[in-house]
Amino acid sequence: MVTALLFAVHPIHTEPVVAINYREDLLATFFVLATYVLILDHRRRGSPWRILGAAACFGLALLSKETALIFPALLVGIDVALAPPDGVRRTLRANLGWYMLLAAIVAMVFLPMALAFRDGHYTSVARDGDSITTRLATSVTIVIDYVRQLIVPTGMSPEYAPAVARASDPGVWAGMGVVALLVIAAAA
């Protein structure tokens, strides 16, 4: 209950709600949550229609916004966190089909996009022509900035363009360390 209240009133969440041009955030969130609900329902009841529904919802989430790409990793993290200490491997093996399905959907959605926009006209974070390492480095700094904003919500603005980071920037390595620590903490 406290978490839901914090989620509802935290200022980092006003951006997608107050501006119609952030509807892709709301759509991606809706479809990711629908995917998760359908996966949980399938695990309880075993209906093939729920598999199809989850696949469709995850595909729609990816088409809404690229940030939905994090969902398979979140699903693995949730499965690891909820598994009994002696049953983590068994849980991961039992859910391997879901992980493979989600990976296949990612490939089906992003591979055509990568082929269609390979001349550099499709970008989500970095500028046209930036390498994949630059895009990954920039993504890491954005994740760290969002974590900082969740903890200390200052300096937020609806109009911002993230600074492009390079893989050689020390902040990127520090950011990857923080992300690794967060993943380890979530799995513990």
Side-chain angles (χ1 to χ4, degrees):
M1 181 72 155
V2 173
T3 305
L5 182 62
L6 180 63
F7 183 82
V9 300
H10 199 285
I12 200 168
H13 301 293
T14 60
E15 199 174 82
V17 176
V18 298
I20 191 66
N21 58 335
Y22 293 110
R23 67 186 171 273
E24 67 271 6
D25 294 305
L26 297 171
L27 285 170
T29 302
F30 170 78
F31 286 122
V32 162
L33 290 174
T35 303
Y36 187 59
V37 167
L38 287 166
I39 288 171
L40 290 179
D41 205 36
H42 175 265
R43 288 177 179 174
R44 281 189 218 114
R45 298 182 190 169
S47 168
W49 291 107
R50 287 176 180 80
I51 296 172
L52 184 61
C57 284
F58 184 58
L60 289 170
L62 287 172
L63 291 172
S64 297
K65 191 163 185 186
E66 301 90 2
T67 54
L69 184 63
I70 193 74
F71 177 69
L74 287 174
L75 184 62
V76 171
I78 291 168
D79 288 345
V80 167
L82 296 179
D86 59 342
V88 172
R89 286 189 179 161
R90 187 171 6 103
T91 299
L92 292 176
R93 266 192 302 256
N95 296 314
L96 185 61
W98 279 112
Y99 310 144
M100 291 172 52
L101 174 65
L102 295 176
I105 293 168
V106 167
M108 286 189 306
V109 169
F110 284 113
L111 188 59
M113 289 171 115
L115 293 174
F117 298 108
R118 65 177 170 239
D119 60 354
H121 291 293
Y122 175 76
T123 60
S124 59
V125 176
R127 293 185 287 254
D128 290 345
D130 283 340
S131 67
I132 189 70
T133 56
T134 299
R135 291 172 190 244
L136 289 172
T138 303
S139 296
V140 167
T141 59
I142 290 171
V143 167
I144 296 306
D145 189 50
Y146 274 125
V147 169
R148 181 200 55 80
Q149 287 180 8
L150 281 170
I151 297 168
V152 182
T154 61
M156 296 177 3
S157 169
E159 298 294 328
Y160 82 100
V164 175
R166 305 284 176 221
S168 59
D169 294 346
V172 172
W173 290 100
M176 285 195 281
V178 169
V179 169
L181 288 174
L182 289 172
V183 169
I184 291 168

